[in-house]
Amino acid sequence: MKPVGEVCAVVNTLEFLAKVKFCARCWSCMVGSAQVSGLLRKLTRGEGVPEDFQLLGLLSFGMKETARCKGGKEAAGVLADLLSSEEYVAHVENRRCPQRSCSGLTTYRVVAERCAMCGLCKQVCPEGAVLGEEYLPYLADNVPYTISAEKCTKCGLCLPVCAENAIELV
Amino acid sequence: MSELVRLQIDGQEVAVPKGVTIIEAAARIQIDIPHLCHLNGLVPSSACRLCLVELEGTKDLVVSCARGVREGMVVWTRTERVLAARRFVLELIWSAHPGDCTTCEKSGRCELQKYTYEVGIERNRFPLRRDEQPIDTTNPLIERNPSLCILCGRCVRICRMRNGNNVFDFVSRGITTRVTTAFEKPLQESGCTFCGSCVSVCPVGSLVERQRRFRGREWELKTTETVCPYCGGGCKLLLDTTKDQIVRARTEKKDDYLCVRGKFGWDYALSKERLKTPLIKKEGTLEECSWDEALSSIAKRLAKIKETRGPEALGGLVSANYPSETLYLFGKFVRAGLGTNNLDSSVRLLSWPTLSGFIQAFGRMDVVATLSEIEAADTLLVLDSEVAVKNPMVGVKVRKALKTPKKGAEGANLITIDSRKTTVAGLSHLHLQPRPGTATVLLDGMIKVILSEGLYDQEFVAANCSNFQEFSARFLEMELDVEAITGVAEEAVLAAGRLYAGQGQKAVIIFSPETSDRHMVARIINLLLLTGRVNGGVFPSLLHSNLWGAAEVGVVSEFYPGYRPVEAATARKELENLWGVSLPSEPGLSAIEMIQAAAESIFGMYILGENPVASFPDKASMVRGLAALDFLVVQDIFLTETAQLADVVLPGVSFAESSGTFTNAEGRVQELNRVLPSQTKPDWEIIAEISTRMGYPLSYHSEREIAAELKTLVSEFSGPRNSAFRLVLTEAEEISAEPDREYPYRLMIGATLFGFGDGSWTRRSEISRLETPYIGMSPQDVQSLGVVAGTRVLVSSRRGRITTTIKVDESLPAGLVFMPAHHPEGNSLTSASLDPVTKSPRFELAAASIDRLQESEPESQCAGDRSLLNLNQTSGIAKWN
Ligand code: SF4
Ligand code: SF4
Ligand code: SF4
Ligand code: SF4
Ligand code: SF4
Ligand code: FES
């Protein structure tokens, strides 16, 4: 597991697109780059479908061929690099974000072995996604802490409160 | 011909002149490279990227609409790589396009639709859409649907090039980029002149004519070529029609020009107010009647007057907006059928000093320049003429001349002499602003410069102007303090004289015949002779469509067709032989004289399409005269102010239902073709039938037959050139009343963009919604009078008074006020004093007073005031002057 914090290549590309200087007078940049961002964002949300990956390929080819300014061609290059990177393949094929920076491709989980059953995460969770009960001694049927994938919005609030580092992202 | 460059496109060799782009070179060998932002005639913008091609030796694809050809280039337009790029661009454009082709007016002619179909894009695969934007319907003529805009920028570029306007521009960036007006204001507040050029060039349905919405799909339209009836420019007009409706007017090439009147003004022809049946006056009111009743009544009553009072008690008056064939037949009917030379037309009021002056001075009309000669001229001298409004096409040519490289110069020199800061004045290198009404003296000043500095064409003058010595001596003796009279500094007059006279330079004088009297014309002729520019040296910007033709076919009292003088016995003989009757030898009365002589020597009149009550000076006396006639026939398409006074009204046809020819201000004869079936009877048929009923049979089967007869009488440009020319010395009279305490302003009446003639057409067109009747005042005058735009005021002259609304007009100098000529009541203020030689009303600036309207004062009737927009909205169109 990679350390949390460093962003993945997909998010990196998104950030690059937001910063790059386009002349913004041809369709490649005006609409093409917006479509790229749209598709990549969809991917980070975990909603990517196989056709999107095709479209991204088309955009990378098309923008390189047709963009009018240097910015556009550069963006096309960055996109092409992304598409051939291992990380991207992980995103698409394994539906996983190795950097855990794409919320849609990440799951929050309580590692039972480390959990001290203090219940702090349950207290901070605004979504009520943490299930389980505080540990009471001599009670045999206590309920361990787990995170409901349906409810969890991946906001990350529970991470810092856990003294045992028992919440992990996969 | 500049040197040729050879290149290869898709394996085909092509040789094209240097400076041509790849896409143009390809077009010459019928290779159509798809394109959306490119349009011939516009500067390339390389925005859409659809025209990319492969160029051997270059890594990247190149933009064929912007890349110039080079010797030896090898270009491929249909390789896999090119096709893939093309498909990508289209798919991307399509991704942001609503694609509502079902109800889009461009469907069938849309360039995006065409290419998308060709490339075979089935559906939009991309996730992101552009936000839909509301459709702009804030003006009556152009509908903007920004959601369909593909940001090609053609509208931005054509407007800038053609009108010098920046109505549209790109705003915002990225996917939110839009093409729109500054601050999203309505077009009429953004300096738009509604030429519709942007509509013509828009490749998609983003800009469309509102008039055509839901009235016919592209593939249902039939196109007929005809001529615009709205000015002497004579633009070719293609009218697209369904069975009995005009749907749209357009040009042949997308980037050809029409002004608002040509592009949008045709709708009057479809007005519900068109007369459909004849009307006859019974007990003081006009009632519908049968054709037979109307025609026999006319024949009977005209014959009776002829019998009891003699043929010279009858008169005929016709508007110069009819085809030459109709005009000729009307003239023949009046002279041969009725037997009188009391025959005249609007030529008298709008261009007679000019046309008669030229024919007298030169013998031949080829002294007049063509529109392309204007474009190619080295120097243009624009006299007292808001050409950009009167003949907008000429305005476009002037603008083009300024950008057309000439030998030793980037473009033409432009000198304007006008008291107003007109649009053209704003483009001038030299703008002389004489006091209103003193331009003639200013021209004298220029002539003096040319004479005293010896700038005239000595060879030409020596060979052709027999009286040069005498003229020059007398002219230089004359006392002339130009600066004192005109208020223009001597140096400016000097500069203008020198610039205009420039040896070896082609110069064209552009002026307004309707405001130029005999004296002004004499000075123009002198300038032409002194500089030897007797071939294409002048352009009379004729206000109406067939003024030239009307003079040529002889609907002016003193000339038979082909400028044959009525007094000349030989000419009369010739016509008597052709027409088979004996013709009267005494000269006839001119237009205004006839009406002034009503009930004294004129008792019956036949008026075809003219509306003296509205368009002749001194309205009160015109009404008095026409009402005093024993019998008045008016043939027109609407129940005009004049028709309301008639005993019988005959419904004629509009330009869209007429065939024949118009001769435009360059002397070009152009075909008018019937576009719609006649709503009533062709005008010439009506005239022929009445004549026949009166015992002078005019039996023609078509306009063509009339044209053939006319051809034997009129030759192009009329007559041979005079063998010698005479310089003319006339003493200009100052006839305009000096402003005084009581009437402190000088009133100028002139043309505007959104009106025409007596206003009877434009008032029934959507274009009139862009202009309410008004009086224009300079900002200074507005301030000192303590009024604002929109204030109702009473305008009085020594003739009469009317009420109207103030508009601030920055082009006017203080003291000069301006009113559109088609103001329904404007001629209540003017006077009909005639020049003794030309019998035209003298152009005068009436002295006027303007007072804020008191609540209690009754408003005068403003028939034309049917504007739907309030004044605040229209004041933004203040650009016309
Ligand atoms: S990430 Fe947020 S929503 Fe999910 S369990 Fe932790 S606190 Fe709750
Ligand atoms: S602009 Fe063209 S593609 Fe768009 S809806 Fe209209 S016809 Fe269809
Ligand atoms: S109608 Fe003419 S003036 Fe108006 S925006 Fe279009 S091109 Fe410009
Ligand atoms: S409105 Fe039409 S012409 Fe103008 S930029 Fe949009 S698509 Fe092009
Ligand atoms: S310039 Fe004259 S002829 Fe041409 S469209 Fe305008 S009104 Fe018609
Ligand atoms: S047509 Fe060449 S870039 Fe648009």
Side-chain angles (χ1 to χ4, degrees):
Chain A
M1 197 194 87
K2 283 197 182 177
V4 177
E6 231 174 83
V7 297
C8 73
V10 175
V11 174
N12 229 330
T13 309
L14 271 168
E15 279 170 7
F16 174 83
L17 284 175
K19 275 190 307 220
V20 70
K21 286 254 182 306
F22 295 123
C23 74
R25 282 289 172 268
C26 79
W27 278 83
S28 273
C29 305
M30 277 189 305
V31 178
S33 68
Q35 296 292 12
V36 171
S37 304
L39 288 164
L40 290 182
R41 249 179 256 122
K42 213 172 146 196
L43 185 62
T44 65
R45 287 196 306 270
E47 294 159 13
V49 292
E51 190 178 32
D52 294 352
F53 312 142
Q54 265 176 29
L55 286 178
L56 282 167
L58 176 63
L59 282 161
S60 119
F61 153 81
M63 284 177 70
K64 176 156 165 297
E65 288 285 41
T66 71
R68 171 178 169 161
C69 62
K70 207 171 118 247
K73 296 209 190 269
E74 233 172 79
V78 170
L79 179 59
D81 290 348
L82 170 71
L83 297 186
S84 57
S85 70
E86 258 175 54
E87 272 180 48
Y88 177 75
V89 175
H91 278 74
V92 175
E93 284 177 8
N94 312 334
R95 306 202 126 248
R96 281 281 166 269
C97 173
Q99 305 307 84
R100 316 279 187 270
S101 40
C102 300
S103 57
L105 299 178
T106 316
T107 319
Y108 279 63
R109 200 174 76 172
V110 180
V111 184
E113 297 84 66
R114 266 185 272 163
C115 180
M117 301 197 77
C118 64
L120 285 176
C121 60
K122 189 176 181 179
Q123 281 169 32
V124 297
C125 176
E127 304 297 329
V130 183
L131 310 173
E133 280 163 16
E134 212 175 314
Y135 173 74
L136 293 175
Y138 311 115
L139 212 72
D141 57 348
N142 70 76
V143 186
Y145 285 97
T146 53
I147 296 176
S148 151
E150 274 93 73
K151 288 190 182 163
C152 175
T153 61
K154 294 142 190 179
C155 69
L157 287 177
C158 52
L159 292 177
V161 299
C162 182
E164 308 300 327
N165 226 351
I167 297 175
E168 72 166 13
L169 276 54
V170 289
Chain B
M1 197 78 220
S2 57
E3 66 184 285
L4 288 183
V5 176
R6 244 158 281 276
L7 67 157
Q8 209 193 66
I9 304 176
D10 289 348
Q12 264 177 276
E13 294 284 341
V14 57
V16 293
K18 223 172 143 180
V20 159
T21 54
I22 297 178
I23 204 169
E24 288 163 349
R28 288 180 194 217
I29 48 171
Q30 278 73 53
I31 294 178
D32 177 31
I33 302 176
H35 55 274
L36 283 169
C37 66
H38 160 80
L39 188 72
N40 272 340
L42 290 182
V43 284
S45 76
S46 338
C48 76
R49 324 301 291 170
L50 191 59
C51 67
L52 291 168
V53 292
E54 220 168 320
L55 176 62
E56 277 184 19
T58 308
K59 195 170 103 256
D60 289 341
L61 298 177
V62 304
V63 183
S64 67
C65 70
R67 182 68 73 95
V69 291
R70 287 268 148 67
E71 185 67 38
M73 263 184 175
V74 179
V75 179
W76 298 99
T77 75
R78 298 195 57 85
T79 61
E80 291 276 310
R81 186 175 169 205
V82 169
L83 293 181
R86 208 174 271 171
R87 190 187 165 90
F88 167 74
V89 169
L90 281 169
E91 213 175 332
L92 208 53
I93 296 178
W94 193 243
S95 80
H97 195 82
D100 299 330
C101 302
T102 22
T103 50
C104 178
E105 293 294 351
K106 268 290 172 32
S107 188
R109 192 184 272 267
C110 172
E111 293 169 49
L112 177 61
Q113 191 189 45
K114 170 172 168 242
Y115 294 134
T116 316
Y117 182 84
E118 275 173 18
V119 164
I121 293 170
E122 247 171 297
R123 62 187 182 86
N124 172 22
R125 296 191 285 168
F126 287 99
L128 224 59
R129 314 304 308 259
R130 277 198 306 171
D131 292 338
E132 292 251 348
Q133 290 161 63
I135 296 175
D136 170 16
T137 51
T138 51
N139 74 77
L141 304 180
I142 297 175
E143 182 172 301
R144 291 171 56 222
N145 185 349
S147 307
L148 298 180
C149 174
I150 57 162
L151 307 167
C152 69
R154 283 186 190 174
C155 56
V156 178
R157 284 172 288 152
I158 193 126
C159 187
R160 209 165 279 171
M161 174 186 94
R162 179 135 313 144
N163 306 307
N165 285 351
N166 289 319
V167 176
F168 290 126
D169 209 344
F170 288 90
V171 298
S172 186
R173 290 171 74 81
I175 198 161
T176 56
T177 310
R178 277 166 306 139
V179 165
T180 183
T181 56
F183 308 111
E184 313 271 351
K185 285 212 181 129
L187 285 177
Q188 61 269 42
E189 289 171 40
S190 308
C192 172
T193 58
F194 291 91
C195 65
S197 298
C198 53
V199 178
S200 311
V201 299
C202 181
V204 293
S206 182
L207 296 169
V208 296
E209 301 88 352
R210 279 189 79 180
Q211 290 160 327
R212 71 169 297 193
R213 276 309 261 153
F214 304 113
R215 293 190 42 233
R217 316 302 311 268
E218 287 289 346
W219 52 88
E220 298 161 352
L221 303 179
K222 177 172 160 263
T223 304
T224 315
E225 186 183 315
T226 188
V227 186
C228 170
Y230 272 120
C231 88
C235 299
K236 188 201 271 185
L237 204 61
L238 301 190
L239 289 179
D240 289 335
T241 50
T242 53
K243 204 161 83 271
D244 54 354
Q245 298 267 304
I246 303 173
V247 172
R248 157 183 65 189
R250 63 183 175 92
T251 51
E252 193 168 26
K253 289 206 278 49
K254 281 193 178 168
D255 62 328
D256 283 346
Y257 177 77
L258 289 176
C259 76
V260 59
R261 298 192 293 260
K263 175 77 187 162
F264 298 105
W266 47 264
D267 52 350
Y268 78 89
L270 304 178
S271 165
K272 288 199 178 62
E273 292 174 54
R274 283 283 301 274
L275 294 171
K276 300 274 165 57
T277 51
L279 306 174
I280 196 160
K281 194 163 270 171
K282 287 185 182 151
E283 285 153 23
T285 50
L286 286 165
E287 290 174 13
E288 292 191 358
C289 70
S290 70
W291 275 99
D292 188 56
E293 185 182 354
L295 298 180
S296 66
S297 154
I298 294 168
K300 226 184 303 152
R301 296 190 62 182
L302 289 177
K304 183 145 178 253
I305 296 173
K306 185 173 169 182
E307 211 175 283
T308 54
R309 303 197 185 257
E312 60 295 337
L314 296 173
L317 181 62
V318 60
S319 143
N321 288 320
Y322 285 91
S324 298
E325 292 70 18
T326 308
L327 293 172
Y328 167 75
L329 204 69
F330 184 75
K332 184 174 175 182
F333 162 62
V334 173
R335 289 195 212 265
L338 297 180
T340 174
N341 282 327
N342 296 330
L343 165 68
D344 215 4
S345 62
S346 46
V347 171
R348 181 75 55 185
L349 289 96
L350 298 175
S351 58
W352 192 235
T354 298
L355 297 175
S356 62
F358 283 2
I359 210 77
Q360 214 166 29
F362 304 107
R364 224 176 125 64
M365 292 297 280
D366 56 359
V367 62
V368 172
T370 61
L371 288 166
S372 28
E373 278 172 317
I374 293 180
E375 205 177 308
D378 301 300
T379 306
L380 293 172
L381 172 60
V382 180
L383 292 181
D384 233 351
S385 171
E386 181 44 309
V387 268
V389 155
K390 284 178 38 189
N391 297 148
M393 181 55 154
V394 181
V396 168
K397 293 289 174 188
V398 169
R399 208 178 276 279
K400 216 152 176 201
L402 294 176
K403 298 223 181 83
T404 308
K406 313 284 147 81
K407 41 179 169 0
E410 271 174 41
N413 292 308
L414 178 59
I415 314 168
T416 301
I417 297 184
D418 202 315
S419 356
R420 295 169 294 166
K421 287 195 228 69
T422 57
T423 1
V424 170
L427 305 170
S428 302
H429 302 95
L430 206 54
H431 177 200
L432 313 188
Q433 272 183 288
R435 294 201 181 98
T438 64
T440 333
V441 180
L442 197 59
L443 291 194
D444 274 338
M446 283 174 63
I447 293 175
K448 193 168 181 181
V449 172
I450 293 173
L451 286 175
S452 56
E453 300 201 351
L455 301 173
Y456 50 91
D457 184 336
Q458 304 183 347
E459 221 171 281
F460 178 86
V461 166
N464 298 287
C465 305
S466 47
N467 69 335
F468 172 74
Q469 291 307 338
E470 184 202 342
F471 171 84
S472 170
R474 285 195 37 207
F475 197 99
L476 291 174
E477 262 166 35
M478 223 164 50
E479 247 182 73
L480 186 66
D481 191 342
V482 178
E483 187 161 348
I485 299 172
T486 65
V488 175
E490 211 179 317
E491 304 82 70
V493 182
L494 261 177
R498 288 176 187 154
L499 191 55
Y500 172 71
Q503 291 277 331
Q505 302 253 315
K506 272 194 288 179
V508 178
I509 302 177
I510 299 172
F511 74 105
S512 286
E514 76 279 9
T515 60
S516 301
D517 61 5
R518 181 164 53 95
H519 306 289
M520 179 70 129
V521 172
R523 277 145 188 84
I524 292 171
I525 292 172
N526 288 345
L527 281 173
L528 296 173
L529 290 177
L530 289 173
T531 53
R533 290 169 178 144
V534 294
N535 206 334
V538 66
F539 189 88
S541 72
L542 295 174
L543 206 49
H544 289 192
S545 49
N546 200 20
L547 286 164
W548 183 309
E552 225 167 35
V553 305
V555 285
V556 278
S557 56
E558 54 270 64
F559 286 106
Y560 293 129
Y563 288 104
R564 290 172 174 76
V566 166
E567 292 117 60
T570 45
R572 193 161 53 247
K573 267 260 104 57
E574 195 185 337
L575 266 299
E576 283 178 343
N577 285 339
L578 183 72
W579 289 349
V581 283
S582 70
L583 294 171
S585 56
E586 60 279 4
L589 295 179
S590 71
I592 291 175
E593 286 174 323
M594 273 189 260
I595 300 175
Q596 286 172 337
E600 279 165 31
S601 65
I602 297 281
F603 292 87
M605 277 187 85
Y606 193 139
I607 299 182
L608 172 54
E610 194 43 77
N611 184 8
V613 174
S615 58
F616 282 25
D618 195 359
K619 176 175 176 170
S621 78
M622 291 301 122
V623 174
R624 226 180 298 123
L626 291 168
L629 291 169
D630 281 356
F631 187 60
L632 173 63
V633 190
V634 174
Q635 182 171 329
D636 210 321
I637 61 171
F638 295 117
L639 193 64
T640 60
E641 293 85 342
T642 304
Q644 289 168 24
L645 300 174
D647 297 288
V648 182
V649 180
L650 297 173
V653 294
S654 73
F655 85 106
E657 298 137 76
S658 310
S659 312
T661 56
F662 277 166
T663 309
N664 80 343
E666 352 162 57
R668 201 152 36 93
V669 179
Q670 304 192 96
E671 295 260 340
L672 196 68
N673 291 310
R674 186 174 298 125
V675 176
L676 295 178
S678 291
Q679 293 197 11
T680 61
K681 279 176 196 265
D683 293 284
W684 65 266
E685 272 184 43
I686 302 175
I687 301 162
E689 203 166 320
I690 292 172
S691 186
T692 307
R693 282 176 191 239
M694 288 184 72
Y696 180 65
L698 291 174
S699 35
Y700 298 92
H701 296 102
S702 69
E703 299 89 349
R704 295 205 177 273
E705 240 174 84
I706 308 172
E709 180 175 321
L710 191 51
K711 240 201 186 116
T712 63
L713 289 167
V714 178
S715 58
E716 203 191 3
F717 297 120
S718 312
R721 161 107 34 100
N722 289 353
S723 52
F725 305 120
R726 291 186 61 79
L727 292 148
V728 223
L729 208 59
T730 72
E731 200 144 338
E733 356 156 41
E734 177 45 52
I735 58 138
S736 294
E738 274 303 317
D740 54 25
R741 266 257 203 85
E742 205 184 336
Y743 297 105
Y745 301 98
R746 302 188 117 193
L747 171 66
M748 179 184 226
I749 294 193
T752 71
L753 198 51
F754 302 102
F756 177 77
D758 61 352
S760 67
W761 296 356
T762 42
R763 267 206 300 282
R764 288 157 178 111
S765 163
E766 286 292 296
I767 69 173
S768 67
R769 291 174 54 187
L770 291 161
E771 182 186 288
T772 40
Y774 71 88
I775 186 158
M777 271 189 124
S778 68
Q780 301 95 297
D781 286 341
V782 165
Q783 203 173 29
S784 58
L785 193 63
V787 291
V788 291
T791 309
R792 296 290 290 169
V793 288
L794 184 70
V795 183
S796 330
S797 78
R798 293 195 172 84
R799 295 279 147 186
R801 45 192 5 215
I802 66 162
T803 54
T804 186
T805 308
I806 291 281
K807 201 189 86 176
V808 185
D809 185 341
E810 279 166 14
S811 74
L812 291 169
L816 186 65
V817 293
F818 176 90
M819 214 156 74
H822 54 279
H823 190 295
E825 296 292 318
N827 275 318
S828 305
L829 302 172
T830 54
S831 83
S833 94
L834 303 186
D835 180 281
V837 177
T838 62
K839 307 284 169 49
S840 298
R842 294 190 272 200
F843 176 72
E844 73 169 329
L845 301 165
S849 72
I850 298 174
D851 299 287
R852 184 189 276 279
L853 202 62
Q854 301 306 320
E855 292 292 303
S856 57
E857 231 146 336
E859 299 228 348
S860 81
Q861 215 37 115
C862 264
D865 200 336
R866 67 165 197 100
S867 167
L868 302 184
L869 303 171
N870 70 40
L871 230 110
N872 287 338
Q873 273 174 313
T874 51
S875 61
I877 331 169
K879 280 264 178 149
W880 49 47
N881 265 320

